[in-house]
Amino acid sequence: MTAFAKPRHVVVVGPGIFGVASALQLARLGVEVTVVNDGAPANGASGRSLSWLNSARRADTTYHRLRLAGIDRYRTLAATRPDCAAWLRFDGGLTWDADDAANEIASVWQLEDSIGYDALLLAPHEVAAVTSGVDPATIPTQGAIFNPGEGWVDLPSLIDLLLTEFRARGGKLIQRAGRAQIRIEGGRAVGVTTTDGGAIAADAVLLAVGPATPAVLGELDVHIPDATPISLLVKTKPVSTPLRAVLNTPRVAVRPTPDGALVLDSAWSEEEVIAYEDGTYAVHGQTVQGLLQEASAVLEGNPRLELEGYGVGPKPIPGDGEPVLGAISQIAGLHVAFSHSGATLGLIVGELLAREIVSGNSHPLLDSFRADRF
């Protein structure tokens, strides 16, 4: 056996929430870290995420426990950094189902209650007493679940905060370097090369490139299934509304933003996005207007919502819906972070991955999510 040697230099590919959170934790552990990207930080999925911090509708599984640990780390951040209050909130989440035979809100509440996940099953007229800004007429008679412990985060603001400390600790961020290709020598990751001709040597590499992860690993003969869809996140202009909670409803999800606007998404609107072979997208005006109207319909007073802008692009989801995290067994020194719930998991995954990379010891909370399961 060869004794494990603590890496002196780690390259992190991708400055989304997984990449930046991991890079900072590595720097805190005394490792030299370089983060490389083909653009600015948070220019991918982290920049167009609803960023709802939750573990709703989850059974008592390892994934649920990892999400709870993720929320815990955000609470620690909120307690120690009051300057985060504008963009890290715990004002709860409210969810309801469509008024049809598929409505399972009562059974979902029973599940959440049975595992101790803080949940209130409310009739429509009871909602205003626990959270404001919602039109009760839009909630079906089966009721809604309010989860007081849930919240939201503005990921670009968080990434900026983490990068500030990362740089202060000597971390290096290389932006707009083009596509980074992982260098393999003797079955080991030894750094990256970029399309602009740069070469960065390293003792370990963390791949955190969101929806591009399956393709990059496929080039290395590491195959993981991919269920990545195209996401659409619409942002309104600032609007006067008392809404503070995140809303997850049959036709639209809504959350506030630090600047008084709202961001919106839905499953049906994603299906209407046109994806072209050259990697560009088209969004129908009627799709955007439809989202704005659906959001207005669930808000108290049904305010007129105006479009500020939108983001569109791939939303990372592994083929089985579960995260892919940790070392790639076929290639020494190569690690990966690929998951849908990047906002909820961002801080905890960064912490646990950094500890694994530095110590060489796997963390049991990540053992269910290795790429080897495929």
Side-chain angles (χ1 to χ4, degrees), residues 168-247:
R169 290 179 175 271
K172 185 177 182 180
L173 173 63
I174 301 176
Q175 303 181 57
R176 300 175 180 84
R179 186 176 182 276
Q181 184 175 12
I182 299 169
R183 294 170 50 210
I184 308 295
E185 293 180 5
R188 182 176 189 87
V190 295
V192 301
T193 57
T194 59
T195 52
D196 65 1
I200 306 170
D203 304 304
V205 175
L206 171 61
L207 183 68
V209 292
T213 301
V216 174
L217 289 178
E219 295 173 355
L220 304 174
D221 290 326
V222 177
H223 301 287
I224 58 176
D226 187 19
T228 295
I230 303 304
S231 70
L232 171 66
L233 190 77
V234 167
K235 183 178 181 181
T236 73
K237 293 181 179 179
V239 58
S240 178
T241 174
L243 181 72
R244 295 295 177 265
V246 179
L247 303 184

Side-chain angles (χ1 to χ4, degrees), residues 308-324:
E308 174 71 25
Y310 63 81
V312 61
K315 176 167 60 179
I317 301 181
D320 62 357
E322 301 274 304
V324 181

Side-chain angles (χ1 to χ4, degrees), residues 11-44:
V11 170
V12 177
V13 185
I17 184 56
F18 283 144
V20 171
S22 300
L24 174 55
Q25 291 290 343
L26 286 164
R28 287 176 175 175
L29 293 172
V31 177
E32 181 184 352
V33 187
T34 301
V35 178
V36 297
N37 194 44
D38 60 358
N43 69 331

Side-chain angles (χ1 to χ4, degrees), residues 291-337:
L291 263 182
L292 295 171
Q293 292 166 10
E294 296 286 359
S296 174
V298 302
L299 297 177
E300 180 182 58
N302 308 127
R304 182 172 180 268
L305 302 179
E306 298 181 78
L307 176 67
E308 174 71 25
Y310 63 81
V312 61
K315 176 167 60 179
I317 301 181
D320 62 357
E322 301 274 304
V324 181
L325 304 168
I328 299 297
S329 61
Q330 302 96 313
I331 303 172
L334 178 60
H335 306 260
V336 66

Side-chain angles (χ1 to χ4, degrees), residues 112-130:
E112 293 182 351
D113 183 67
S114 72
I115 61 175
Y117 191 69
D118 199 358
L120 304 173
L121 181 60
L122 305 171
H125 71 275
E126 296 175 314
V127 168
V130 298

